[in-house]
């Protein structure tokens, strides 16, 4: 239950492009690995009592909370892409997001998929799987975790998501604002100039140029974001034990 709920809530393993049989196969494989490393002898009295429902609910809460922490951090890339698209006139260019299955701006999908590629290139998926497997050592089955730290970690992760999204989109917003001011001055000087046929192409070309120039900086920022997401997940699991 802990591993399966984590896979469903995590940004990579829980994506729509990962079909359900593959998720079940990964969950079963990891469960067999956990049982071989940490053998758990089933207690018939515990399974037959009402405590089994509490234990199952606790395992689901642990797995979902760990996966949602990663999802919140990964949402910073999508949020930054949506704001960049809205400020540059690219919000109309939408497509079906392969990760969530919903329609979103292409710019948001580009940054999100770039974050997934960086996350896998840094072996982040292996780190989070190892973390959830090692959580059975200090959060064994049947233990009562400190659930209040889940809400604290969620609020901190949400604040960090808005902070990182603002840092990614702020240079684009400043440059695009200056371009809009320049276009306003030009159209004020030449009232007969058609602003719609002039402003939109310039703004879009400027957005593409900024993405091309700042690709290395964005990659570095997304790499730090992936590292912070893994650290936040590990810190939340440790806080549930320490209180």
């Amino acid at each position: 239950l802990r591993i399966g709920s984590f896979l469903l809530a995590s940004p990579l393993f829980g994506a729509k492009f990962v079909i359900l049989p593959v998720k079940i196969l990964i969950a079963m494989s990891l469960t067999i690995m956990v049982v071989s490393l940490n053998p758990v002898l089933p207690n018939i009295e515990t399974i037959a009592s009402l405590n089994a429902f509490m234990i199952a609910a606790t395992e689901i809460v642990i797995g979902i909370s760990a996966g949602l922490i990663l999802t919140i951090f990964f949402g910073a890339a999508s949020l930054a892409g949506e704001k960049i698209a809205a400020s540059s006139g690219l919000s109309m260019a939408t497509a079906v997001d392969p990760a969530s299955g919903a329609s979103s701006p292409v710019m948001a999908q580009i940054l999100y998929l770039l974050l997934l590629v960086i996350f896998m290139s840094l072996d982040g998926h292996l780190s989070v799987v190892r973390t959830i497997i090692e959580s059975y050592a200090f959060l064994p089955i049947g233990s009562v975790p400190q659930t209040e730290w889940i809400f604290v970690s969620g609020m901190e992760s949400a604040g960090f998501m808005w902070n990182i999204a603002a840092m990614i989109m702020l240079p684009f917003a400043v440059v695009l604002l200056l371009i809009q001011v320049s276009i306003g001055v030009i159209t004020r000087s030449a009232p007969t100039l058609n602003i719609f046929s002039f402003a939109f192409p310039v703004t879009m070309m400027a957005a593409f140029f900024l993405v091309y120039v700042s690709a290395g900086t964005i990659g570095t920022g997304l790499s730090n974001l992936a590292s912070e997401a893994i650290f936040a997940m590990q810190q939340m699991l440790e806080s549930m034990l320490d209180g």
Side-chain angles (χ1 to χ4, degrees):
L1 290 175
R2 184 186 302 187
I3 295 175
S5 58
F6 169 75
L7 294 179
L8 290 177
S10 59
L12 177 60
F13 302 101
K16 293 293 184 180
F17 54 78
V18 181
I19 59 178
L20 184 59
V22 174
K23 297 177 184 178
I24 296 175
L25 180 61
I26 295 175
M28 292 178 61
S29 302
L30 294 177
T31 302
I32 294 174
M33 184 185 303
V34 170
V35 172
S36 62
L37 295 176
N38 300 310
V40 179
L41 297 178
N43 189 349
I44 303 300
E45 296 180 357
T46 303
I47 296 177
S49 63
L50 294 177
N51 292 330
F53 295 98
M54 295 300 298
I55 294 174
T58 301
E59 293 297 310
I60 294 175
V61 167
I62 294 174
I64 290 179
S65 58
L68 287 180
I69 291 297
L70 296 177
T71 302
I72 292 174
F73 272 82
F74 275 62
S78 299
L79 181 61
E82 291 179 359
K83 298 305 179 182
I84 293 173
S87 60
S88 60
L90 297 174
S91 58
M92 296 179 290
T94 60
V96 177
D97 189 359
S100 61
S103 180
S104 61
V106 177
M107 184 63 66
Q109 297 183 29
I110 291 175
L111 294 181
Y112 186 82
L113 294 177
L114 178 60
L115 178 57
L116 283 181
V117 171
I118 294 175
F119 182 73
M120 296 186 65
S121 64
L122 297 176
D123 292 336
H125 57 298
L126 301 180
S127 298
V128 296
V129 169
R130 179 178 179 180
T131 300
I132 201 67
I133 290 176
E134 291 180 349
S135 66
Y136 287 94
F138 54 88
L139 285 175
I141 299 175
S143 61
V144 180
Q146 301 290 334
T147 55
E148 61 270 12
W149 287 98
I150 297 177
F151 301 100
V152 175
S153 300
M155 296 299 294
E156 292 178 353
S157 301
F160 193 85
M161 177 190 69
W162 286 99
N163 187 16
I164 293 298
M167 292 176 62
I168 294 175
M169 64 160 289
L170 189 59
F172 292 86
V174 172
V175 174
L176 293 176
L177 177 62
L178 295 177
I179 293 175
Q180 294 292 339
V181 172
S182 302
I183 293 175
V185 173
I186 294 174
T187 53
R188 185 68 176 177
S189 303
T192 58
L193 187 63
N194 190 355
I195 185 174
F196 294 102
S197 62
F198 174 73
F200 284 165
V202 173
T203 304
M204 292 181 183
M205 291 177 61
F208 291 144
F209 179 75
L210 289 175
V211 172
Y212 175 76
V213 171
S214 60
T217 305
I218 293 176
T220 303
L222 295 180
S223 177
N224 296 331
L225 177 61
S227 301
E228 290 291 336
I230 299 173
F231 178 75
M233 172 189 166
Q234 295 173 348
Q235 189 177 22
M236 186 207 66
L237 292 175
E238 293 178 358
S239 300
M240 293 172 68
L241 171 66
D242 299 332

